[in-house]
Amino acid sequence: MDGAPQQNERESERKAASGVGLTRLQSGLLRHAADFVASRVEPNVTAFLAERQPVVWVLALVIGILVGYAALAFRAAIGLVQWPWLGTMSERVAGAAAQLDWWVVLLVPAIGGVIVGLAIDRLLPGRRAHGVADVIEARALNNAAVDLKTGLISAGLSAVSIGVGASVGREGPVVHLGATLAAAVEDRFKLSAAARRSLLAAGVASAVSASFNAPIAGVLFAHEVILAHYALRAMVPTVIASVAGGLVTRYHLDAAPTFVIPDYQITSAYEFPAFALLGLACAVVAIAFQLSLMGAERLAARFSGPTWVRTGCGGLIVGAIAVVFPHVLGVGYETTDDALRGELPLWLALALILAKTAATAVSLAARFAGGIFSPTLYLGAMTGTAFGIVATSVFPEAGSSHGLYAILGMGAVAAAVLGAPLSTTLMVFELTGGYAMTIALLLTVSIAVGVTQACLGPSLFHWQLARRGIVLQDGPHQAILRRMTVAEVMQPVAAAEWDGQLGQGGMARLAASDSLATALRAFDQAGLDRLAVVAGDDATRIVGHLDRIAALDAFNKALVAATVEAHR
């Protein structure tokens, strides 16, 4: 009888011991979880908050909405300028111009050029409107700072230029306007340099998204062209802004693609050699287009008179071309749309390649305000149409519609000129809704970009920067050497405390405003490890000194920071 109570007692002790073990196990798991959170999650959250990323995300949303409405206003401004002489605010400019007297088509671009030139002379520094290359420069060298007044004036003059028929694009000005508004918003918050660059890219992404109704391409363009990296930390604000800008456009306009095309399909795998040849043809057109822009710019640079004379003469030349080919006026989306639907004959497509190239080169060299994206899409569509007509006539059973070749050509020429193969490929998809020809487009684009880069370098934007002495394609160290100044690194010191050599003729002295690149060259030239730093307004007044080791250390730290920014 005593066995049962003893057995129950042992069972109770076993359960109690088991409960204690379970409690210890749970306590250990909780302790491990807490340690994991403390070691893994807490540092990341702390860094996330320290970099004020929640603020950056909210600002990206504000910037996206603001830039979206700015893009709509820009479109409306172009329409308002068009209305008095074309009688339409739509993009169907060629058809409207064809109904006008020849002298109207000849004179309106010239009169508009005089107006634009007078405004440039009086309102813009450097006597030129700003664009995408200036945004790249701001990201690389100017701590993402873009002057608000210059940006707004450039956008206004771009609207006037396009409205009077200059053969330029509207997307470049909108990109610069988006960057301008982003810089204006972020200036009110004391953000890190990396956060400022992310928000600058967010403004660009929203601008592209709102202009083309292409939010995916907006994100990729901002990273591929402006930031030159795909860091995840910058991806979130650019996506937020791009989606916001795209939604603004879709709410007020519609969600349809910019170009509505038939349902093209690749009919045979035997066409892929033809797609590769199309890539080569597009590279030839892209190279010829860029060389035309460069040559026209160099010729126009010899002109020393007032800008209004230069723009007026340029407008007269564009008007003369438009008398014969009104298709070259403005952004040219009406003619591009005709090419994508396969409605242009071979002779006209070939003629328009030459006419549009000439009109765009003259417009930009004359200092009309505008971009190059729309002209490259136009030239690509004409190239693809002409190539497709020939290819489908030679191989009628194996060839697809030449409208499909127009789509491929549009992406290839634009990517080759802009140096943006990924974002341009996605942009063509979103512009046309034509996702079925993915492989063909990638092949054509890659060949066109590769051949163009082998001949002319990365992109037209980098050529524009190189003309100003800014070379960025060699790596981030070039931007750092130009961006950092002696004032950021020097040690302040009174003149009486200076015990080194001042030198003659500036050989052994630096100005506080000199770049780090200038400082390192000065060290090599002087053969010294320490140089005096003088005031910018008085070359004899010493305000500090700079050590070679300190300069190199600052450069190394900045280079590491740039590498971290590009990989976070």
Side-chain angles (χ1 to χ4, degrees):
M1 297 294 295
D2 294 339
Q6 291 177 355
Q7 184 177 0
N8 290 337
E9 184 177 352
R10 285 195 299 271
E11 183 66 20
S12 298
E13 290 176 355
R14 186 185 66 79
K15 290 181 177 180
S18 177
V20 170
L22 181 61
T23 302
R24 290 177 178 175
L25 177 62
Q26 292 173 338
S27 176
L29 290 175
L30 289 174
R31 194 163 51 248
H32 282 298
D35 291 341
F36 174 78
V37 169
S39 63
R40 178 67 178 176
V41 178
E42 184 178 354
N44 290 305
V45 172
T46 300
F48 178 82
L49 296 176
E51 295 174 8
R52 302 174 69 190
Q53 286 298 307
V55 176
V56 173
W57 291 10
V58 172
L59 291 179
L61 177 61
V62 173
I63 289 169
I65 296 172
L66 183 62
V67 174
Y69 279 104
L72 292 177
F74 185 77
R75 283 191 186 189
I78 295 173
L80 289 174
V81 177
Q82 286 179 189
W83 174 258
W85 73 289
L86 289 175
T88 180
M89 295 181 64
S90 72
E91 294 173 345
R92 305 198 68 80
V93 173
Q99 306 302 317
L100 299 176
D101 293 330
W102 68 268
W103 57 269
V104 175
V105 178
L106 177 68
L107 294 180
V108 168
I111 296 171
V114 171
I115 296 172
V116 170
L118 288 171
I120 288 176
D121 268 340
R122 289 165 171 74
L123 301 176
L124 287 178
R127 300 200 305 174
R128 65 175 181 84
H130 288 205
V132 177
D134 298 278
V135 180
I136 298 174
E137 181 181 355
R139 185 273 303 169
L141 304 180
N142 300 331
N143 195 29
V146 182
D147 182 66
L148 178 61
K149 179 181 176 182
T150 300
L152 295 177
I153 294 174
S154 294
L157 293 180
S158 296
V160 174
S161 297
I162 298 170
V164 299
S167 180
V168 292
R170 75 181 182 204
E171 290 72 31
V174 176
V175 165
H176 187 267
L177 179 60
T180 299
L181 296 176
V185 170
E186 66 192 21
D187 276 344
R188 301 179 180 274
F189 301 84
K190 295 181 179 180
L191 299 173
S192 66
R196 288 178 60 86
R197 285 188 281 270
S198 294
L199 289 177
L200 186 78
V204 170
S206 178
V208 174
S209 176
S211 295
F212 287 114
N213 193 12
I216 301 175
V219 173
L220 287 180
F221 184 86
H223 283 264
E224 189 172 26
V225 176
I226 304 301
L227 290 177
H229 65 66
Y230 291 94
L232 293 178
R233 185 61 57 88
M235 185 72 72
V236 175
T238 55
V239 169
I240 291 173
S242 187
V243 170
L247 289 177
V248 167
T249 300
R250 295 185 182 194
Y251 177 77
H252 290 281
L253 299 177
D254 56 60
T258 301
F259 302 109
V260 179
I261 60 173
D263 185 20
Y264 295 129
Q265 299 291 332
I266 299 173
T267 59
S268 172
Y270 292 110
E271 284 190 277
F272 279 89
F275 297 151
L277 290 176
L278 175 59
L280 291 176
C282 290
V284 172
V285 171
I287 292 169
F289 176 65
Q290 293 184 73
L291 291 177
S292 298
L293 296 184
M294 296 172 187
E297 178 65 30
R298 289 179 178 175
L299 286 175
R302 299 178 182 178
F303 178 78
S304 58
T307 304
W308 65 268
V309 176
R310 181 172 173 173
T311 50
C313 292
L316 192 65
I317 296 173
V318 172
I321 297 173
V323 169
V324 182
F325 298 106
H327 317 75
V328 304
L329 293 171
V331 295
Y333 280 168
E334 178 185 0
T335 308
T336 302
D337 199 31
D338 291 340
L340 294 177
R341 293 200 303 269
E343 297 178 357
L344 295 181
L346 176 61
W347 74 267
L348 183 57
L350 292 173
L352 289 179
I353 292 174
L354 300 176
K356 188 66 173 179
T357 297
T360 304
V362 170
S363 295
L364 293 176
R367 296 291 173 87
F368 276 104
I372 59 170
F373 207 108
S374 299
T376 60
L377 293 176
Y378 183 110
L379 291 173
M382 298 307 118
T383 305
T385 293
F387 186 93
I389 292 174
V390 174
T392 54
S393 63
V394 175
F395 303 102
E397 296 181 357
S400 302
S401 168
H402 54 266
L404 181 143
Y405 285 86
I407 296 175
L408 302 181
M410 186 169 68
V413 173
V417 175
L418 303 177
L422 295 180
S423 55
T424 305
T425 299
L426 264 296
M427 192 175 296
V428 170
F429 286 156
E430 292 183 284
L431 282 174
T432 63
Y435 290 85
M437 65 286 296
T438 307
I439 301 176
L441 182 59
L442 287 174
L443 175 64
T444 307
V445 165
S446 63
I447 291 175
V449 171
V451 173
T452 304
Q453 184 177 23
C455 295
L456 297 181
S459 74
L460 186 66
F461 301 137
H462 286 92
W463 173 79
Q464 292 172 336
L465 291 172
R467 280 179 59 84
R468 307 173 202 170
I470 302 172
V471 181
L472 301 177
Q473 61 264 37
D474 291 339
H477 63 284
Q478 293 285 354
I480 293 170
L481 288 172
R482 292 180 60 91
R483 183 174 66 235
M484 294 186 68
T485 63
V486 171
E488 300 176 49
V489 188
M490 73 177 193
Q491 291 294 322
V493 62
E497 301 175 7
W498 174 250
D499 58 358
Q501 302 177 25
L502 185 57
Q504 299 295 324
M507 178 60 74
R509 72 183 74 181
L510 294 167
S513 59
D514 284 341
S515 68
L516 200 58
T518 301
L520 293 178
R521 284 196 300 269
F523 281 122
D524 290 337
Q525 292 172 358
L528 300 173
D529 291 327
R530 174 184 292 186
L531 292 177
V533 180
V534 297
D537 56 349
D538 184 357
T540 63
R541 181 166 61 90
I542 298 175
V543 295
H545 67 80
L546 179 64
D547 292 331
R548 183 197 293 265
I549 299 300
L552 291 173
D553 184 58
F555 169 68
N556 290 334
K557 289 179 179 178
L559 188 58
V560 169
T563 303
V564 171
E565 178 185 341
H567 291 83
R568 293 191 67 176

